[in-house]
Amino acid sequence: MTALSLSLLALLTWAAGIYPASAQSQNPLVPDVWQGDVVPQAPKLGDREKLRFLTDSDYPPFHYFDEEGVLTGFNVDLARAICEVLEVECEIEEVDWDDMLDRLEAGEADAAIASIRIDKENRRKADFTQRYYATPARFIGRKDSEISDPKPETLKGVKIAVTEGTGHAAYLKHYFPEAEILTFSSAEAANGAVKDGTAELAFGDGIGLTFWLNGVTSDGCCEFRGGPYVDATFFGEGVGIAVPKGDRKMLELLNYALYRVHADGRYDELLLRYFPMSFF
């Protein structure tokens, strides 16, 4: 297995507890929810011949319309892989993000797979499978920056850009109280503050930062600084597939399918197809 594969697979193995402020140079070894000595038994499908998924279409590479107008992306292909495991027809409908959980609650689909965070607010409307990915927080800095390993004691008075109202902003205020925190209305603006020298570092979502660093907008100005930060309190429990509340049978089916997709290597293939750049 390549180093890139190992980096991406680490997304499924970070612990859900609170970590200290300093980034982990090596993620703690915790039980992988998709592995272990006990292989789950295949659930009974009964007369089910189809699974109906809801998703969004405006969050590449997770879900989007390609050049030919075909709905595709990591979440879409994962849903199709789940259907293949369960040997059922797969129906995936693109809906407005704001209506998704309401439509699921109304019984218009069996599940929603759209990078939906497992959090208190979303749990009011839906139940969730085990998480199938989680995103670390990362620092970025200009390539000529002398800051190589951001820590609370080394960032006193250092200007750090972050998106206002986010868990990342709250994390900085809690663990880096002596840094000078500059808040911006968007991640793009926060990243731009590092590019133009307004801030020395930016702190945010690892996936978003990866695509910005490797995109046109950054002009190759910057790179990651330090390691990943994982904290369920500030960054959430990860992402899961939503099902109507109380539908334990559907949770059983999907958790089994996710285990199988992971165990047979298809999950790895999807990660490498859609995320060739490591963000962990």
Side-chain angles (χ1 to χ4, degrees):
M1 184 177 291
T2 65
L4 178 57
S5 297
L6 291 172
S7 295
L8 292 167
L9 287 176
L11 293 175
L12 289 175
T13 60
W14 60 267
I18 298 176
Y19 283 70
S22 59
Q24 307 300 304
S25 58
Q26 185 176 11
N27 292 310
L29 295 176
V30 297
D32 187 328
V33 295
W34 310 118
Q35 299 175 357
D37 297 330
V38 180
V39 177
Q41 291 185 339
K44 295 180 180 179
L45 285 170
D47 58 357
R48 183 181 296 277
E49 298 180 352
K50 178 171 64 175
L51 281 182
R52 301 170 300 155
F53 286 96
L54 299 178
T55 193
D56 189 21
S57 63
D58 193 26
Y59 188 34
F62 290 98
H63 32 261
Y64 61 99
F65 286 109
D66 65 16
E67 299 84 357
E68 298 179 357
V70 177
L71 186 62
T72 189
F74 176 78
N75 287 322
V76 175
D77 282 354
L78 180 58
R80 291 177 178 139
I82 287 170
C83 291
E84 289 176 7
V85 165
L86 298 176
E87 298 181 348
V88 294
E89 180 185 347
C90 210
E91 179 182 291
I92 306 173
E93 181 183 358
E94 178 266 330
V95 300
D96 186 86
W97 169 263
D98 294 331
D99 299 331
M100 191 173 301
L101 292 185
D102 289 334
R103 293 183 63 167
L104 180 66
E105 192 175 28
E108 297 182 26
D110 300 307
I113 182 167
S115 295
I116 305 170
R117 292 189 180 278
I118 305 171
D119 59 26
K120 185 176 181 180
E121 181 179 353
N122 288 331
R123 276 192 165 125
R124 292 192 183 102
K125 290 188 173 183
D127 289 335
F128 286 86
T129 62
Q130 294 171 324
R131 66 173 182 257
Y132 62 92
Y133 81 83
T135 310
R138 298 295 303 267
F139 279 106
I140 62 167
R142 291 185 59 85
K143 290 181 178 179
D144 58 6
S145 171
E146 296 181 358
I147 301 173
S148 60
D149 187 17
K151 294 179 180 179
E153 60 270 22
T154 62
L155 298 186
K156 294 179 180 179
V158 172
K159 294 179 179 179
I160 306 175
V162 69
T163 308
E164 62 184 353
T166 62
H168 300 97
Y171 188 88
L172 286 178
K173 291 176 182 178
H174 185 81
Y175 285 117
F176 295 81
E178 295 187 68
E180 185 176 345
I181 301 170
L182 308 179
T183 58
F184 294 83
S185 60
S186 68
E188 188 74 20
N191 299 340
V194 178
K195 177 182 174 182
D196 66 23
T198 302
E200 294 179 66
L201 298 171
F203 187 65
D205 174 85
I207 291 179
L209 288 172
T210 297
F211 284 100
W212 186 81
L213 289 174
N214 290 275
V216 176
T217 309
S218 70
D219 289 328
C221 70
C222 308
E223 60 189 8
F224 283 127
R225 285 286 188 259
Y229 291 75
V230 287
D231 190 319
T233 301
F234 291 94
F235 311 137
E237 299 175 43
V239 164
I241 302 174
V243 305
K245 288 196 71 67
D247 194 342
R248 297 183 62 84
K249 180 63 176 178
M250 183 54 56
L251 282 179
E252 181 184 0
L253 286 172
L254 294 177
N255 278 327
Y256 168 76
L258 283 169
Y259 169 87
R260 284 282 309 278
V261 168
H262 186 277
D264 66 15
R266 277 184 280 189
Y267 187 88
D268 302 12
E269 293 174 4
L270 289 177
L271 278 175
L272 292 171
R273 181 190 309 169
Y274 288 104
F275 305 102
M277 302 166 290
S278 176
F279 48 84
F280 211 94

